[in-house]
Amino acid sequence: TRLIHFIKRMDNGNDLKSRVILSINKEFENIDSLKNVELFRQNLVDKKENLEKKLDHANSSISLELQDLLNSGDELDRKVGAISDQNQSILDKARECMEGCENFEHENKQILNDISIVRGVTQYTLWLRLIEQISLDISVSLETQDKDQIVNAYNRISEVCTALNGSKCKNLISYVESTKKHWYEIITEKYINNLQKSLEVFNCPFIDTLDNKATTTLDLMKIGRDEVESLQNAVQILLSIENPPVDSEQKLHHLWLPIKVLMKPLRKRFKFHFLGTKTTNNPMKPEWFLTQLSGWALAHRQFLTDYLQPAYDLVGMSHLATLDFAKGLVLMAIEKLEVDIPIVLEDDVLFAHTIDEIIGFSCDLSKTMQYYSSEPSILQPLTESNVFIRWLNMERKFAFEKVDNLFMEPGPSVWESEVGGSFTPRAAEIFLALLLSVTERYKLLSSSIHRIQFLRLQVELIEDFRVRLVQIVRAEKDSPLSSNLCPIMNTLDHLNLVLANWADTPFFLKLAIDMHNNRHNLSISDLNSTTRSLEEQDESPENTTEPIDENDVDRTVFQSSIDELIYLKKQLIKEVVESIYYTVTARSVKYRSETKWFVEDQPGDSVSPAACEMLQTLAFGLDSARKRINPESFQDVWRNLAVKIHDFILDEIVVNNKFCLAGGKQLEFDVRRGFFPIFGEFTSKPQSYFTQLLDVLTLLTSPPGTVKLSLALLKDTCEEGAANILADLSIKHLNKERAIRVLKARIDVPQI
């Protein structure tokens, strides 16, 4: 490093020496300029003195700044020392104070213990007196039946219990809790009796639906404000003093005291008829007990809304009285189903009937009582592992049987529309109704795991339906326009539209989010056992479909199915287009090979006779397709066919023939008066689908002089220049090579 530094210094010195020599040589270029030597020396001396003065001034400024910094450092050092001394003084005083306190505690230990005991006894006594006072307040309030005082006093006992939670006085805590329990039992017993008496005035509960009708028409007219107020006071007090369970599972199945009191006679009647030895306890007739529960829900709805809900509102309850009542009915139904389902599980018919009745009851309850899916569900017994697998397998079995029956219907009726003027076949409507019925049966399930299993069943059904359509299409390819291929295309189009609309509904959007959020759990843990069991119990080929793509949250739940259906639809469109195209080209032999485009005596004012059969076939094919294919798919058919006809005229007629000016004009007439009117039935601008052909016709109908000049210029120019030349001829869609080939097809152009 030192060597490099030395070399650099040598280089700098040599550079300075060179610059000095250069400056002197510049100043004294010849002998005559030597007379200025003294003046040059004086200038150098002046510059040297000026630099020395500047250097002295800079050194003096630096010294002053450095001195200021040193002074500031000394001042800070003195302040730090003062703070350290002050800190030490404070620590010494604190140490002396702590020693004094310790000495005082040691010398007066017995006195302090006595004071602590006296203070504890005093506080203990205060707590006892507080409890006694609260108990007295509750007692007085019960005598005066002041509901606000009763609730406030009981809440004060609850606050005392909460305040003593961290205390070491176990006996005091036990006494307060027992006091609270004592008053809870007294208050609940008193107001449960009051509530029962009030319900008797209303002839409630309405065990028979006729009881409700009789009460609403006669008895309610005799019930005054006092009876209603007594009922609502009892409900309000019972709701206010009850503490719901903290555990989430217990809280989910918790019923509030007023509802328990109201439902006690109903529960007794339910057990007597449907859980006892009566003939009404028949697992084969689930509609019996579910109809009874539905009747009770309807019978009590108005009563709950008119009389219990105001008390709920005064207490500040966050839910409706009808919801609590419906929860009680659901819990009774669950208890009954847990007994009945194992009995009917192995019988397909009975089990399916039970499921239908359960789902129907669940739908009715959500409509009539605003029952939320977050509450205990009557479908809960169906979600037990073995029961759910049985249910899913049965749904799969029945669904695939319905699809089998659909395709086994004799005759073409399944591919015909039930509504006049509609392109949607019965097959599409029946299959969508099947998918919708599956959705209606599982959308009330609360677990996303179970809903996704049913969704996979729907995807399997769609894939099976698609495969069956593919098999039918293979047999219908010979005559696409007269076979069932067109109705199948309409079926695919309708399925795509409906599935896309379903996928955008809130239910399926939430299901897509659930699939994305739980994709690891679904594929690794929760679904493994269910999927394994399903594979063991059902080895049908329709279960071998690809799993739903759960890794892309932007894809809808039916996206993979829709993609497959769209692909098949495109293949069918291609089959229809190819069928019309080959029929048209088969009628074009004379027009392609026998028409003498190089002969000057062309008709010019009418379509070539050789083209009439081809044009008639094209028009007939498009008209047949329009009558059998829905408008959206038909748009793709005629557009794709227009592209193929465009390419056909270019590749088979223009390229393979020689044209004179009259022949070019005849071809132009055939295109504009023959092909364009046919496609003009479906678009106002058919020429937009024949852009290259129009450019070709422009070249074929240009004057010979223009053609010769353009050909010569195109041969001798680059691509950019060729584009400019063609633009001058209004040619926008042909490149240089193709334009030259077209120009060479003119017989009036010299062939070079």
Side-chain angles (χ1 to χ4, degrees):
T1 303
R2 291 180 178 178
L3 179 58
I4 294 173
H5 184 63
F6 175 75
I7 293 173
K8 288 182 177 179
R9 290 182 62 187
M10 290 293 293
D11 292 340
N12 292 337
N14 293 334
D15 184 57
L16 178 61
K17 182 178 179 181
S18 300
R19 287 191 288 118
V20 170
I21 293 172
L22 183 61
S23 176
I24 293 173
N25 289 337
K26 185 177 180 181
E27 187 69 28
F28 304 103
E29 295 179 350
N30 48 50
I31 297 176
D32 294 336
S33 59
L34 291 177
K35 62 183 179 181
N36 298 325
V37 170
E38 185 62 27
L39 179 61
F40 182 70
R41 187 187 71 81
Q42 186 61 39
N43 289 337
L44 292 178
V45 170
D46 293 341
K47 289 182 180 180
K48 176 184 175 185
E49 291 176 353
N50 188 26
L51 290 174
E52 287 176 349
K53 289 179 181 179
K54 290 181 179 180
L55 184 60
D56 292 339
H57 178 70
N59 289 335
S60 62
S61 299
I62 293 173
S63 299
L64 292 175
E65 292 178 2
L66 182 60
Q67 186 62 39
D68 291 340
L69 291 174
L70 292 175
N71 294 336
S72 299
D74 293 339
E75 181 65 22
L76 289 175
D77 185 55
R78 285 194 297 270
K79 289 181 179 180
V80 170
I83 292 173
S84 299
D85 295 340
Q86 186 179 1
N87 181 46
Q88 186 62 40
S89 176
I90 293 173
L91 290 175
D92 294 340
K93 290 180 180 179
R95 192 178 298 108
E96 291 175 1
C97 184
M98 290 178 62
E99 290 176 356
C101 292
E102 291 174 356
N103 294 334
F104 179 82
E105 181 183 4
H106 180 72
E107 293 172 358
N108 301 280
K109 185 175 183 179
Q110 185 61 40
I111 297 174
L112 292 174
N113 288 337
D114 294 342
I115 292 173
S116 177
I117 292 171
V118 171
R119 184 171 58 184
V121 171
T122 302
Q123 291 180 348
Y124 206 95
T125 304
L126 290 175
W127 284 114
L128 293 176
R129 287 181 179 177
L130 177 60
I131 296 301
E132 290 176 359
Q133 183 61 44
I134 295 175
S135 297
L136 179 60
D137 293 342
I138 294 177
S139 179
V140 172
S141 301
L142 288 173
E143 291 293 333
T144 59
Q145 296 187 359
D146 188 337
K147 69 176 189 302
D148 293 333
Q149 290 296 330
I150 294 172
V151 173
N152 291 336
Y154 185 81
N155 288 339
R156 287 165 61 195
I157 292 184
S158 300
E159 292 173 0
V160 171
C161 288
T162 303
L164 292 174
N165 277 339
S167 175
K168 297 180 180 179
C169 301
K170 303 300 182 183
N171 293 330
L172 178 61
I173 294 174
S174 176
Y175 171 71
V176 174
E177 290 178 348
S178 61
T179 303
K180 177 183 176 182
K181 181 179 180 182
H182 167 74
W183 285 116
Y184 178 79
E185 292 174 352
I186 291 176
I187 296 172
T188 54
E189 181 180 0
K190 176 179 177 62
Y191 282 95
I192 284 175
N193 291 332
N194 290 352
L195 178 59
Q196 289 174 339
K197 292 177 182 179
S198 298
L199 291 174
E200 290 175 2
V201 173
F202 287 85
N203 195 25
C204 188
F206 311 121
I207 296 178
D208 295 323
T209 55
L210 294 177
D211 294 343
N212 182 32
K213 293 179 181 179
T215 300
T216 55
T217 56
L218 298 175
D219 295 341
L220 290 181
M221 297 177 63
K222 303 176 183 179
I223 297 173
R225 175 181 293 181
D226 293 340
E227 286 79 5
V228 175
E229 186 176 350
S230 175
L231 171 69
Q232 293 180 351
N233 286 343
V235 173
Q236 188 176 347
I237 290 174
L238 291 176
L239 290 175
S240 299
I241 68 172
E242 185 176 3
N243 293 321
V246 179
D247 182 71
S248 58
E249 184 65 26
Q250 294 179 357
K251 188 175 182 179
L252 184 64
H253 295 83
H254 171 72
L255 289 179
W256 294 89
L257 274 175
I259 299 300
K260 286 182 180 178
V261 174
L262 176 61
M263 299 197 69
K264 185 176 180 181
L266 300 178
R267 186 172 181 80
K268 182 178 180 181
R269 174 66 67 91
F270 186 83
K271 284 188 174 183
F272 176 75
H273 281 288
F274 304 112
L275 289 171
T277 57
K278 298 284 289 185
T279 56
T280 49
N281 182 14
N282 187 351
M284 300 180 184
K285 300 290 184 179
E287 63 270 23
W288 288 355
F289 79 87
L290 291 174
T291 301
Q292 180 65 79
L293 294 177
S294 296
W296 285 342
L298 289 173
H300 290 82
R301 181 178 59 183
Q302 194 65 38
F303 173 80
L304 293 167
T305 302
D306 292 343
Y307 298 107
L308 264 65
Q309 189 58 47
Y312 269 65
D313 295 338
L314 288 173
V315 175
M317 300 293 286
S318 59
H319 54 275
L320 303 175
T322 53
L323 183 63
D324 276 346
F325 186 81
K327 183 195 290 188
L329 297 178
V330 168
L331 293 177
M332 284 194 288
I334 290 174
E335 183 180 357
K336 168 68 174 171
L337 290 172
E338 287 176 346
V339 176
D340 288 354
I341 286 179
I343 299 174
V344 301
L345 186 62
E346 299 304 323
D347 190 305
D348 286 352
V349 177
L350 292 179
F351 187 49
H353 176 59
T354 301
I355 293 173
D356 290 339
E357 293 295 331
I358 292 173
I359 293 173
F361 175 78
S362 181
C363 293
D364 291 342
L365 205 61
S366 63
K367 294 177 182 177
T368 58
M369 307 292 280
Q370 290 80 47
Y371 194 70
Y372 306 144
S373 60
S374 58
E375 299 293 338
S377 173
I378 191 175
L379 276 69
Q380 177 183 325
L382 296 177
T383 59
E384 299 296 330
S385 58
N386 59 325
V387 179
F388 181 75
I389 293 173
R390 178 80 172 91
W391 179 17
L392 193 60
N393 280 331
M394 189 182 66
E395 292 286 351
R396 175 180 284 104
K397 174 184 175 183
F398 287 163
F400 280 103
E401 285 180 356
K402 290 180 180 178
V403 176
D404 290 337
N405 295 334
L406 172 63
F407 285 97
M408 291 175 63
E409 287 190 18
S413 61
V414 71
W415 299 114
E416 296 176 354
S417 174
E418 294 181 335
V419 181
S422 172
F423 290 94
T424 305
R426 283 182 58 247
E429 300 288 356
I430 294 172
F431 182 69
L432 286 173
L434 173 61
L435 292 179
L436 183 61
S437 68
V438 174
T439 302
E440 294 295 328
R441 292 168 74 81
Y442 78 83
K443 72 177 183 180
L444 296 175
L445 290 171
S446 57
S447 170
S448 60
I449 303 295
H450 297 136
R451 290 198 299 266
I452 290 172
Q453 286 294 327
F454 269 98
L455 176 63
R456 289 182 171 180
L457 170 59
Q458 288 180 305
V459 173
E460 291 176 10
L461 283 170
I462 297 171
E463 176 61 17
D464 177 76
F465 189 77
R466 186 193 67 83
V467 171
R468 291 172 187 264
L469 294 181
V470 171
Q471 295 171 349
I472 295 175
V473 165
R474 289 173 181 170
E476 307 283 350
K477 283 186 176 181
D478 294 339
S479 53
L481 293 178
S482 60
S483 65
N484 292 324
L485 190 144
C486 290
I488 290 175
M489 186 192 305
N490 297 334
T491 298
L492 294 171
D493 203 41
H494 190 62
L495 285 179
N496 289 333
L497 177 63
V498 174
L499 290 178
N501 290 336
W502 284 359
D504 290 334
T505 59
F507 173 75
F508 285 109
L509 289 175
K510 184 178 183 304
L511 201 54
I513 295 174
D514 291 339
M515 291 176 62
H516 178 75
N517 293 339
N518 299 306
R519 61 189 183 277
H520 300 300
N521 295 333
L522 289 172
S523 59
I524 297 174
S525 58
D526 294 306
L527 296 181
N528 273 349
S529 58
T530 303
T531 305
R532 191 180 304 113
S533 300
L534 294 175
E535 291 174 351
E536 293 173 355
Q537 296 183 28
D538 195 346
E539 297 293 339
S540 58
E542 53 266 16
N543 293 332
T544 61
T545 57
E546 292 295 324
I548 302 172
D549 183 6
E550 300 168 357
N551 296 324
D552 190 355
V553 71
D554 295 329
R555 291 173 63 84
T556 64
V557 293
F558 294 117
Q559 192 61 53
S560 59
S561 300
I562 291 174
D563 291 342
E564 293 290 339
L565 294 174
I566 290 176
Y567 176 79
L568 178 57
K569 172 189 167 183
K570 290 180 178 179
Q571 293 299 113
L572 298 189
I573 290 175
K574 182 179 179 181
E575 290 291 336
V576 173
V577 170
E578 293 290 340
S579 174
I580 299 175
Y581 174 74
Y582 287 127
T583 305
V584 171
T585 55
R587 303 291 192 277
S588 66
V589 176
K590 291 183 179 180
Y591 189 68
R592 284 182 292 159
S593 58
E594 298 182 8
T595 302
K596 296 179 175 56
W597 303 104
F598 52 85
V599 177
E600 291 291 341
D601 57 342
Q602 299 290 337
D605 56 352
S606 63
V607 176
S608 300
C612 292
E613 184 180 6
M614 175 179 62
L615 293 173
Q616 183 181 11
T617 303
L618 175 62
F620 178 77
L622 286 172
D623 185 62
S624 300
R626 180 170 59 176
K627 291 179 179 179
R628 303 204 67 198
I629 300 175
N630 68 76
E632 183 178 350
S633 296
F634 180 71
Q635 290 287 326
D636 296 331
V637 170
W638 74 258
R639 286 171 180 167
N640 292 346
L641 184 59
V643 172
K644 293 187 70 67
I645 294 296
H646 170 269
D647 295 341
F648 165 75
I649 296 174
L650 287 180
D651 298 336
E652 300 296 331
I653 297 177
V654 175
V655 174
N656 295 331
N657 289 282
K658 295 293 183 178
F659 292 83
C660 64
L661 181 60
K665 291 182 177 180
Q666 180 63 48
L667 178 61
E668 182 182 28
F669 192 91
D670 292 345
V671 171
R672 293 187 179 276
R673 297 298 181 90
F675 289 98
F676 283 5
I678 294 176
F679 290 101
E681 291 290 323
F682 321 119
T683 176
S684 59
K685 294 182 178 180
Q687 60 272 19
S688 61
Y689 297 90
F690 295 84
T691 52
Q692 290 190 27
L693 179 58
L694 291 175
D695 286 349
V696 168
L697 293 175
T698 299
L699 294 178
L700 292 179
T701 57
S702 296
T706 303
V707 171
K708 294 176 183 178
L709 178 60
S710 300
L711 180 60
L713 293 174
L714 287 174
K715 288 182 177 180
D716 298 333
T717 187
C718 61
E719 287 292 338
E720 184 177 356
N724 294 330
I725 295 171
L726 293 174
D728 292 338
L729 296 173
S730 300
I731 306 299
K732 300 178 181 179
H733 304 93
L734 294 180
N735 57 24
K736 173 184 175 181
E737 180 182 356
R738 188 143 199 172
I740 291 175
R741 290 181 61 187
V742 173
L743 292 174
K744 286 183 176 181
R746 292 280 296 266
I747 61 174
D748 49 4
V749 175
Q751 302 297 316
I752 301 175

